[in-house]
Amino acid sequence: MALPAAQSLPLLAWSKLVNDAVTEPYLDEVFHVRQAQNYCQNRFDVWDPKITTPPGLYLLSYIVSPVVGCDIFWLRSLNVFCLVALQAVVTWTYPLRKPGGYDHWASQHSALNVTLFPPLFFFAALYYTDVPSTLSVLIFYWLFLHFSGPRKFSPLRTPALVLSGISSLFFRQTNIFWVAIFPAGLVLVNELDRAHDAVKNSMYRREEGFGDTWTSIVRTSWKMSAVYDPAVRNASISGTNLPSLQALQYSNTQPDYGKTAISIATLCLKLPTHPTRLAHTLQALLPYIITTLTFTILIHFNGSVVLGDKSNHTATLHLPQLLYLWPYLTFFSWPLLYPYLLTIPFGLFAQLPAVATLEAMLMFKRRRLGPQYWLLGICVGVACAVVHFNTIVHPFTLADNRHYTFYVFRRLMNPWWVKFAVTPVYVLCAWACMQAMGARPLDVSVYKDPAGKKNEDKSSQQSEDRHKPPTLPDGSSGATTSFVLIWLATTTLQLVTAPLVEPRYLILPWIFWRIHVPLQNGSAQLARTDLTFRERLKTVDHRLLLETVWLLLINAGTGYMFLYQGFEWPQEPGRVQRFMW
C-alpha cells in the first residue's frame, strides 16, 4: 500500500491547489466543462463545434453525475480517480507478461512513475480528455494480455477486445493505432512464427544458409515458417560493427532490422498458400479487424477524423514529429537512459583510429557504446533533409505563449541554423532509447545463495541468450527487433499526420516504450537474511528511484509556474494566463 499512497499524496495535493487557485474553467476546459454539463442535463443534441475529440469524457461524466454531480470540482476529480486507476492497470500488466516471475515491487514502482509522468499528472487536476483516454487504452492492453495466454481461445476474447477498443475510440480518435494496429502487429508476428527453437537459434547465430544473407533469411522464413526476430541487444541497425562502409560487402553484415522486416513480409506472402493457417491468423486478428472497420465507417460518415474545428486540424505529412519524439523520451526518462547516454562519448572516442587499440580495454563491444560514425552521419543527413523540407510550425504553436512548446519552437526556429544543429541530438537520443528497450535482463539472482554459490553460471546464461525472448517484453527481459518495429510503426502512424506539436500527443508512445523497458528483478532477494547491506542495496533498481525524484521535480516546477507565475495579456486585462504543457 505504500506505493499507491505515494502517488495519492502529491496527486491530491496538486488537485486541491488547482481547485483553490483556478475556480473557473481554464483554456480548453471552457469547452469541455460546458459540453459535460449539457450532457448532465440530458441535452445530447448540443455539441460545441470547437471540440475535436469524441464525447467519451462527457459520457463518463454523465454516468457518474447522479452520484457526484457535474460541477467543475467533481468533473476535475474524475481525472484524479482515472489516474489512480491507471496506476493499478499498469501494475496488472506486469504479471500477465511474466506470470510467476515478475518483480512485484519494481512493477508497482514503475506504475507509480508512469502516473507521475508530467503531461499526465498535470492534466489530472484539470478537466481534459488525456487521462481517461490513456486509461481506456491501458485497460484494452490489459485485456489484450489477459486473452493472449491460456485464454487465447476464450469465446469472450473477441467481444471483450472489440468493446474495449471501440470504447477507447470514444475518448480520442488516434487511440485506433494502439487498440488495433499495435496489437494486430504483435499477434501477426506470433501467428507467423511456427519454427522450432533450433532453427531460430541458427538464424540468430547467422549460420551459413540460415541467417547470413538476405536470401537465406527469405529461404529459411519460407521453408521453416520462422520469423527472424533477434533480441535488440544482439541486433545491429547498420549491419556491421566496423566503422567502414566496406564492411557491408560481407555476406553476414546486413542490418538485423531489415532482415526482420523481410522475414515478416516473406511469411505474409506465404500465408495465402496455407488456407488453414490463414483462417487461424484471421481469427486471431478478428477483434482488430472489426475495430478498424468500425472506425473507418465512423470516419466515412463524419467526413473527417476530427469532429470539430476541422480547418485547424487537417491531416498533413509531418515527418519531424518522429525526430521530436526522441528528445521527448530522453528528457522525461533520462534516469533510465543515462548508462547509454554516458557511454556515447566513449564509443565515439573509441572509433578514432588513433585510439583504436583501447577498444580491448572497454567493457562492452564497440557497437554497444554508440553508433558508428558513418551511420551517425547518414542519420544526421537524413534528419537535416527532413527538417529542411518538412518542418511545419502550426499557427497555434507560435501564437500562444502559455504553452511550453511556444518557447521551444521560438528557440528552435531562430536563428535558422539551430534546427539543423540539434539533429545529432535527435539521432543520439534515438540510439539510447532503442538500446534501453533491448537491455539485458537486470536479474540480481546472481548474488550468493545461502551456500555461498551463485544461482546461475555464465554457460547457462549464454544458453538462455541463444533462445529468442518473447515478442512482447515482459518487464525484465529486453525487446526483440519485431517489437521495436511494431512500436515504431504504430508511433509513426499516430504522429506523422499531425501538424501540431503537442506534448500530450506523445503520451501513449512514451507509455508503451516506458513499460517495456527492462527493470532490475530483485524483489526475491529482499527477504533474504544472509545478504549484506551493500548486496541488499544492489537489489533495488536505483534508476526507478532517480526517475521518481526527477518526475516529482518536473511536476513541482510546472505546477509552480501554473499556479504562481501567471501573467496578463494586454488584450485581456484582469484575466490570469497560466503556463502549461
Side-chain angles (χ1 to χ4, degrees):
M1 298 297 295
L3 286 178
Q7 178 220 30
S8 300
L9 291 176
L11 180 57
L12 293 176
W14 169 236
S15 176
K16 183 180 186 306
L17 289 171
V18 170
N19 280 293
D20 289 345
V22 189
T23 57
E24 298 294 327
Y26 180 70
L27 210 61
D28 288 357
E29 276 192 319
V30 174
F31 311 114
H32 295 313
V33 170
R34 185 167 57 215
Q35 187 64 46
Q37 291 175 344
N38 282 326
Y39 272 41
C40 290
Q41 297 169 10
N42 296 315
R43 299 174 61 189
F44 298 104
D45 58 324
V46 177
W47 184 259
D48 193 317
K50 287 294 184 181
I51 296 176
T52 62
T53 52
L57 177 64
Y58 322 124
L59 291 172
L60 186 61
S61 302
Y62 170 77
I63 292 172
V64 301
S65 62
V67 178
V68 299
C70 214
D71 61 75
I72 188 172
F73 172 79
W74 286 110
L75 290 176
R76 288 173 173 173
S77 298
L78 181 62
N79 275 352
V80 174
F81 294 132
C82 286
L83 192 63
V84 173
L86 182 67
Q87 180 178 356
V89 174
V90 172
T91 304
W92 296 341
T93 67
Y94 281 91
L96 289 175
R97 284 185 278 148
K98 191 174 184 180
Y102 76 104
D103 188 324
H104 182 70
W105 180 264
S107 63
Q108 281 202 342
H109 196 167
S110 180
L112 166 67
N113 288 353
V114 168
T115 59
L116 291 176
F117 183 53
L120 270 180
F121 185 87
F122 183 91
F123 287 104
L126 298 172
Y127 190 62
Y128 272 63
T129 308
D130 304 277
V131 177
S133 174
T134 303
L135 174 62
S136 70
V137 174
L138 268 296
I139 289 175
F140 169 86
Y141 186 57
W142 172 71
L143 286 172
F144 167 77
L145 296 173
H146 178 76
F147 288 110
S148 294
R151 301 177 182 87
K152 181 178 180 180
F153 300 105
S154 169
L156 297 177
R157 174 180 175 270
T158 295
L161 292 178
V162 170
L163 180 61
S164 176
I166 293 177
S167 298
S168 181
L169 297 180
F170 271 85
F171 290 94
R172 179 155 289 169
Q173 300 91 320
T174 51
N175 289 349
I176 185 65
F177 301 113
W178 300 100
V179 301
I181 306 302
F182 181 71
L186 297 175
V187 169
L188 179 62
V189 170
N190 286 330
E191 292 297 324
L192 293 175
D193 192 4
R194 298 296 181 186
H196 192 274
D197 282 349
V199 175
K200 292 182 286 187
N201 289 337
S202 296
M203 296 176 75
Y204 302 148
R205 289 194 296 266
R206 300 167 181 82
E207 292 183 359
E208 184 176 356
F210 282 90
D212 56 331
T213 64
W214 296 107
T215 304
S216 68
I217 289 292
V218 171
R219 185 188 310 114
T220 305
S221 297
W222 185 278
K223 291 179 61 177
M224 304 294 185
S225 295
V227 174
Y228 182 81
D229 195 17
V232 169
R233 66 177 179 270
N234 297 327
S236 170
I237 298 177
S238 62
T240 177
N241 296 336
L242 300 177
S244 171
L245 284 171
Q246 295 178 350
L248 292 177
Q249 64 183 314
Y250 298 110
S251 61
N252 63 343
T253 56
Q254 286 85 2
D256 289 305
Y257 287 90
K259 287 181 177 181
T260 300
I262 288 293
S263 178
I264 294 173
T266 299
L267 287 171
C268 287
L269 292 174
K270 178 186 177 182
L271 201 55
T273 65
H274 291 76
T276 303
R277 185 170 296 175
L278 175 61
H280 188 275
T281 303
L282 290 176
Q283 180 185 6
L285 295 174
L286 184 60
Y288 322 114
I289 295 174
I290 294 175
T291 303
T292 303
L293 288 176
T294 304
F295 180 71
T296 304
I297 292 171
L298 292 175
I299 291 177
H300 174 74
F301 281 103
N302 183 55
S304 173
V305 174
V306 297
L307 296 186
D309 199 18
K310 298 178 182 179
S311 61
N312 288 316
H313 295 84
T314 304
T316 307
L317 183 65
H318 193 191
L319 294 176
Q321 290 271 28
L322 296 177
L323 300 179
Y324 308 145
L325 167 69
W326 306 110
Y328 179 93
L329 299 181
T330 304
F331 173 75
F332 290 111
S333 299
W334 69 261
L336 299 178
L337 299 174
Y338 82 87
Y340 307 99
L341 296 173
L342 291 178
T343 58
I344 286 175
F346 293 102
L348 296 177
F349 178 73
Q351 295 176 48
L352 296 174
V355 295
T357 55
L358 297 178
E359 183 181 8
M361 300 173 59
L362 299 177
M363 185 180 299
F364 305 104
K365 294 181 179 179
R366 177 189 292 174
R367 72 178 172 90
R368 305 277 170 77
L369 286 174
Q372 302 298 314
Y373 276 127
W374 66 267
L375 179 62
L376 178 62
I378 291 175
C379 291
V380 169
V382 171
C384 287
V386 168
V387 167
H388 178 71
F389 291 107
N390 197 222
T391 293
I392 297 174
V393 181
H394 195 281
F396 287 178
T397 302
L398 295 180
D400 193 340
N401 64 347
R402 293 170 295 185
H403 296 285
Y404 295 119
T405 50
F406 169 88
Y407 301 96
V408 172
F409 270 84
R410 190 172 66 172
R411 177 71 63 178
L412 196 62
M413 306 307 292
N414 186 29
W416 65 269
W417 51 266
V418 174
K419 60 183 178 182
F420 298 101
V422 296
T423 51
V425 175
Y426 298 151
V427 175
L428 294 175
C429 287
W431 180 86
C433 292
M434 299 277 279
Q435 293 297 310
M437 286 186 75
R440 184 178 296 276
L442 298 173
D443 192 342
V444 297
S445 62
V446 295
Y447 292 124
K448 64 183 182 180
D449 59 18
K453 298 180 180 180
K454 293 185 177 182
N455 292 322
E456 64 177 12
D457 56 16
K458 293 182 179 180
S459 61
S460 63
Q461 180 65 50
Q462 292 169 353
S463 175
E464 180 183 348
D465 288 346
R466 288 198 298 266
H467 289 77
K468 170 191 163 187
T471 301
L472 193 65
D474 56 24
S476 60
S477 299
T480 62
T481 52
S482 70
F483 180 87
V484 173
L485 290 175
I486 293 167
W487 175 81
L488 276 175
T490 308
T491 301
T492 300
L493 290 171
Q494 179 188 339
L495 296 179
V496 295
T497 58
L500 183 62
V501 178
E502 275 263 20
R504 294 179 293 153
Y505 293 171
L506 297 167
I507 288 176
L508 285 175
W510 179 86
I511 285 182
F512 278 93
W513 171 83
R514 171 62 184 78
I515 65 177
H516 293 105
V517 170
L519 304 174
Q520 181 166 296
N521 188 3
S523 62
Q525 307 293 323
L526 291 176
R528 297 263 303 272
T529 59
D530 60 311
L531 298 179
T532 65
F533 175 77
R534 179 173 296 182
E535 289 173 334
R536 191 177 298 277
L537 190 62
K538 289 180 180 180
T539 65
V540 179
D541 195 334
H542 69 280
R543 298 175 305 161
L544 290 176
L545 297 173
L546 187 59
E547 184 185 37
T548 303
V549 173
W550 173 241
L551 296 178
L552 286 173
L553 286 174
I554 296 176
N555 288 325
T558 54
Y560 175 82
M561 295 296 293
F562 179 79
L563 295 171
Y564 306 115
Q565 293 298 310
F567 59 96
E568 292 185 6
W569 283 344
Q571 64 270 30
E572 296 185 15
R575 183 185 295 270
V576 179
Q577 309 298 334
R578 302 178 184 276
F579 294 104
M580 63 191 305
W581 291 106

